[in-house]
Amino acid sequence: MKTVRVDKSKNRKQQALDIVKQLREQTGERVTTGQVLAETDMSRSQLGNKLSELAGDGELVRVTKGVYDLPEHIDESEKRQPEEGKLVEVNELHDLGKLKKGALEKKPDRLVQIPLLSIQASAGTGGPTLKEEVQEYISYDREQLRREIGADPDDLAVLTVQGISMKPTLTPGDRILVVRHNGGALKDGSIYVLRNPASGVIVKRLFWETETAARLEGDNSRVPENEIRADDDGHIEGWDVLGQVVRVQQHL
């Protein structure tokens, strides 16, 4: 294979696109995240962000988990529409707080009250699983949530971040708005809240390596990664996927 040339005078997003184009031309095949990573000095999380941005801009098409191609090589039936409402790439909840439809305290006007739960999402090696009680309710605009996030307010909850593994995206004390995970495929490059008996509750970014293998990674490069096994139905071996982070309120 020919050498891939990276023009460091370009921004990282353009560098990623150039690498994909060169690999596609040299191999004649679709390009994986791992192949691009081998040709760049970006971290896996940085590269994942740039590839996701390129897919959202229409410069690339995400064919399947961790596999990208150029639009001119894609049939119309394979093209995916860019996702809406991802203000911050964080992830999904399925049983957090065991909230039921209509369980939220609502006002008759345009505001809806989303529960702030006592459980904390550890952006680190994990923390104890706290009892999931409602501490208070936080007001959000109902129609804005539906328009920008595309989620039913009854499927939302707010958690507080602790730990530093997701810095600078998430810092201790930040509040994250999480969409409950009700099954289905997990999104490459998105941030999820997960739980297992040994580690408690954590918040990490998920990257697909293959169809059945993924990696949990913090945005802080000094924190070690977690290799995991997963499937298309959103099941991760040894972990409960609680939800996807869709918005962050920075702690000042």
Side-chain angles (χ1 to χ4, degrees):
M1 184 184 296
K2 298 179 181 178
T3 301
V4 172
R5 299 185 181 278
V6 181
D7 186 348
K8 295 301 181 70
S9 67
K10 296 182 178 180
N11 61 45
R12 289 186 179 275
K13 184 174 171 181
Q14 189 60 50
Q15 289 178 31
L17 180 59
D18 288 349
I19 292 172
V20 173
K21 288 180 176 179
Q22 291 179 63
L23 290 172
R24 184 63 168 88
E25 182 179 0
Q26 292 175 14
T27 66
E29 298 177 350
R30 291 165 175 174
V31 179
T32 67
T33 301
Q35 287 176 294
V36 182
L37 187 65
E39 304 295 341
T40 179
D41 59 0
M42 282 184 270
S43 69
R44 187 177 298 274
S45 60
Q46 289 174 328
L47 177 60
N49 288 340
K50 299 310 174 188
L51 292 174
S52 295
E53 289 176 14
L54 288 165
D57 293 343
E59 298 279 359
L60 293 177
V61 176
R62 179 177 174 269
V63 181
T64 186
K65 303 171 184 121
V67 180
Y68 294 84
D69 207 343
L70 301 173
E72 57 265 32
H73 297 292
I74 299 294
D75 294 334
E76 287 298 321
S77 61
E78 292 182 285
K79 292 185 179 179
R80 301 185 178 203
Q81 296 299 318
E83 297 167 342
E84 297 180 356
K86 288 175 64 178
L87 303 180
V88 176
E89 294 182 352
V90 208
N91 312 279
E92 308 176 55
L93 332 162
H94 65 228
D95 66 345
L96 192 58
K98 296 181 174 61
L99 299 176
K100 299 179 180 179
K101 294 288 184 182
L104 301 183
E105 175 187 323
K106 296 180 181 178
K107 294 184 177 180
D109 58 16
R110 64 186 179 85
L111 296 181
V112 61
Q113 304 297 298
I114 306 299
L116 170 64
L117 303 182
S118 60
I119 190 170
Q120 292 184 320
S122 176
T125 56
T129 302
L130 305 180
K131 189 175 181 180
E132 298 164 10
E133 296 178 343
V134 176
Q135 292 183 317
E136 60 179 287
Y137 289 88
I138 300 174
S139 296
Y140 287 88
D141 185 289
R142 187 193 308 271
E143 291 307 315
Q144 185 179 18
L145 288 177
R146 292 186 187 276
R147 182 175 63 253
E148 296 183 359
I149 298 175
D152 189 314
D154 288 321
D155 287 331
L156 299 174
V158 179
L159 304 180
T160 303
V161 174
Q162 63 177 7
I164 63 170
S165 75
M166 285 301 298
K167 291 181 67 174
T169 306
L170 304 175
T171 59
D174 286 351
R175 288 179 175 180
I176 51 178
L177 182 63
V178 183
V179 181
R180 185 176 2 207
H181 182 58
N182 294 308
L186 303 175
K187 302 170 187 175
D188 184 62
S190 291
I191 302 172
Y192 287 88
V193 178
L194 308 100
R195 174 172 55 194
N196 78 6
S199 299
V201 177
I202 66 170
V203 55
K204 298 285 186 182
R205 199 179 295 275
L206 181 143
F207 293 102
W208 287 101
E209 301 288 337
T210 67
E211 289 290 330
T212 58
R215 184 182 301 275
L216 295 176
E217 182 178 316
D219 288 357
N220 185 340
S221 60
R222 293 178 296 176
V223 178
E225 304 168 349
N226 299 90
E227 292 186 358
I228 56 175
R229 294 188 61 80
D231 61 31
D232 284 340
D233 294 326
H235 300 127
I236 297 180
E237 187 174 287
W239 292 88
D240 292 327
V241 182
L242 302 182
Q244 178 181 357
V245 184
V246 291
R247 182 175 292 180
V248 178
Q249 179 182 347
Q250 299 290 341
H251 176 69
L252 301 178

